Amino acid sequence: MARRILHRTFSEKAPNAGALSLPRDEYLAHLSVERGSSTQTISAYRQDLDDYLGFLQELGISGMERVTREDIIAYEADLMERGYATASVKRRISAVKGMHRFLAREDVDLDNPASSVRLPDPGLRLPDCLSIEEACAVLDQSFPPTPAGARDRAILEVLYGCGLRVSELVGLDMGDLYLPEGLIRVLGKGSKERVVPISGTALRVLEGYTSAARPEIACSGKVLSPAVFLNSRGGRLSRQSVHAIVARAGGAIGRADLHPHTLRHSFATHMLDGGADLRSIQEMLGHSDIGTTQIYTHVSSSHIREEYLAAHPRAT
């Protein structure tokens, strides 16, 4: 079944990206004056970059100097998740790369976080996904017997066990946890609330962290925060810290490129492979359109084909 694009952009939610809009305008002026780009081209670039700036704003990024390579990769993954065709994703990421390249050239103190971001390959681009064995290896590895180690393990378990976006994870407050009922309240995109189930190992690990490790971290810090996941100062853990925690855990099993979105994709794919209803997966992921969730049917079918080719005696 063909995927449908959600007719919504981040810029519709946040039309004014504040300080982020100035570097965008400088880049568009460069394209117009120095490159001689047409009005239609400038308009297309503006639309693409507005969507990108809205994504950054929703993540709480207030300036280009704060953008990381991981943020751009997360934006690319989000475009795929929203159902955009590979050609459309490639066009938008090209615009992003062009703007960051221009800004880094104009300001010697500004890095280019997009320099090593690769454009998507032609053809169907499926979300990166761990095998079940790889997911278990990531989650079952040894963690330091410290409060921070307990926190890191809980982060990985919740990302994979509930399919949360990294922004949703770091936005969790203690009042959002209904652990006796096995539920978590999540504030997703567009400030839409949803309730997702949590059970099994993920529930037990999160209960252990919140009852023992988190109070220790909170006491050692200088800030009193309602956040579930805390940094060493007792404040809310940042998205960048979660990216680093996930990458470190992936590196331990030979997947140094492991990204929080990969755990979300793996959650959805493994749920579908296990027989979960597509509509239920849609609700747990917080997709407003079932067409966005249908990309995982392609992932599942691809996995089934690989298993068939590997196992059937007359498949090759």
Side-chain angles (χ1 to χ4, degrees):
M1 185 178 296
R3 289 174 284 157
R4 283 171 47 207
I5 294 175
L6 294 181
H7 295 288
R8 172 192 62 82
T9 64
F10 286 102
S11 55
E12 289 170 352
K13 174 181 179 293
N16 180 12
L20 294 172
S21 62
L22 180 58
R24 175 207 60 197
D25 291 343
E26 292 176 348
Y27 177 55
L28 294 178
H30 160 75
L31 293 178
S32 177
V33 176
E34 299 186 28
R35 293 283 192 87
S37 299
S38 68
T39 303
Q40 292 84 350
T41 298
I42 297 300
S43 178
Y45 268 83
R46 180 181 294 276
Q47 181 178 355
D48 290 345
L49 292 174
D50 278 353
D51 188 71
Y52 172 59
L53 298 189
F55 177 82
L56 296 180
Q57 187 184 33
E58 187 162 287
L59 294 184
I61 297 174
S62 58
M64 287 297 174
E65 72 282 356
R66 297 176 61 85
V67 178
T68 66
R69 178 178 183 272
E70 288 74 22
D71 294 324
I72 299 171
I73 292 174
Y75 175 61
E76 181 180 0
D78 185 79
L79 289 172
M80 295 302 302
E81 188 174 296
R82 282 191 272 160
Y84 283 93
T86 304
S88 298
V89 176
K90 184 175 182 179
R91 187 195 72 230
R92 293 197 174 201
I93 298 302
S94 293
V96 169
K97 286 173 69 69
M99 182 179 68
H100 280 290
R101 184 168 55 248
F102 164 78
L103 295 175
R105 187 171 66 242
E106 294 296 305
D107 187 345
V108 295
D109 294 326
L110 195 63
D111 293 329
N112 180 3
S115 60
S116 61
V117 175
R118 299 178 61 183
L119 295 175
D121 296 327
L124 179 63
R125 177 82 180 280
L126 299 178
D128 186 24
C129 179
L130 297 175
S131 67
I132 293 178
E133 292 74 20
E134 287 177 321
C136 290
V138 168
L139 299 174
D140 293 340
Q141 63 184 275
S142 297
F143 292 87
T146 62
R151 177 203 62 197
D152 294 354
R153 185 186 179 197
I155 285 172
L156 293 163
E157 288 283 358
V158 173
L159 284 172
Y160 175 70
C162 301
L164 301 190
R165 301 177 178 96
V166 64
S167 58
E168 295 169 345
L169 179 99
V170 299
L172 287 176
D173 290 336
M174 290 299 295
D176 296 323
L177 304 184
Y178 302 89
L179 299 186
E181 294 82 11
L183 299 171
I184 296 177
R185 182 177 60 196
V186 178
L187 185 64
K189 290 182 177 178
S191 298
K192 293 180 179 178
E193 284 191 2
R194 69 183 189 276
V195 176
V196 299
I198 180 170
S199 63
T201 305
L203 175 60
R204 291 190 293 272
V205 169
L206 184 58
E207 285 177 329
Y209 162 71
T210 55
S211 64
R214 184 187 178 279
E216 288 192 43
I217 299 175
C219 289
S220 64
K222 299 179 180 179
V223 181
L224 183 61
S225 172
V228 173
F229 295 107
L230 304 175
N231 58 33
S232 59
R233 300 179 300 279
R236 189 178 301 274
L237 198 67
S238 69
R239 295 171 301 102
Q240 289 82 359
S241 294
V242 174
H243 282 292
I245 290 167
V246 173
R248 185 165 58 246
I253 68 160
R255 289 290 301 263
D257 61 341
L258 187 62
H259 190 278
H261 244 74
T262 306
L263 295 175
R264 176 172 161 87
H265 293 321
S266 302
F267 159 84
T269 304
H270 298 165
M271 287 285 290
L272 188 63
D273 285 342
D277 174 72
L278 193 64
R279 187 71 66 178
S280 298
I281 296 175
Q282 175 196 1
E283 294 178 2
M284 286 184 279
L285 292 176
H287 290 162
S288 57
D289 192 303
I290 190 66
T292 308
T293 317
Q294 285 170 345
I295 188 173
Y296 296 106
T297 64
H298 295 293
V299 179
S300 184
S301 297
S302 175
H303 170 72
I304 292 171
R305 174 176 167 76
E306 290 174 2
E307 291 295 311
Y308 169 76
L309 292 174
H312 197 282
R314 298 178 66 86
T316 57

